[in-house]
Amino acid sequence: IYPDLKNAELQKSYGVLGGDQLIKKMLLSGEYAALVQKVQKVNGFDRDINELVEDVKN
């Protein structure tokens, strides 16, 4: 939503092409890593495969 990572002018101002490259350029490496961890947690990718197997069994 904000900032619009698809905005061509914003991408150009950072000297990148594409929203994925823009977000990497806008954030510090630690901030980007924290963002990736939160996204993975929200999507359930932070769970161990054994936990998922147990959930399915129950």
Side-chain angles (χ1 to χ4, degrees):
I1 299 205
Y2 181 81
D4 180 8
L5 300 177
K6 296 179 181 178
N7 184 301
E9 286 185 34
L10 185 58
Q11 292 177 13
K12 185 177 178 182
S13 71
Y14 278 89
V16 296
L17 185 60
D20 57 333
Q21 295 300 316
L22 179 59
I23 193 71
K24 289 178 184 178
K25 190 78 167 186
M26 292 177 81
L27 299 176
L28 298 173
S29 60
E31 293 172 329
Y32 183 75
L35 175 64
V36 169
Q37 286 179 334
K38 289 287 184 182
V39 169
Q40 288 180 334
K41 185 173 184 174
V42 166
N43 288 306
F45 296 137
D46 64 330
R47 298 186 62 198
D48 182 69
I49 188 70
N50 294 321
E51 291 178 39
L52 297 173
V53 169
E54 288 300 316
D55 286 350
V56 170
K57 286 181 181 178
N58 295 324

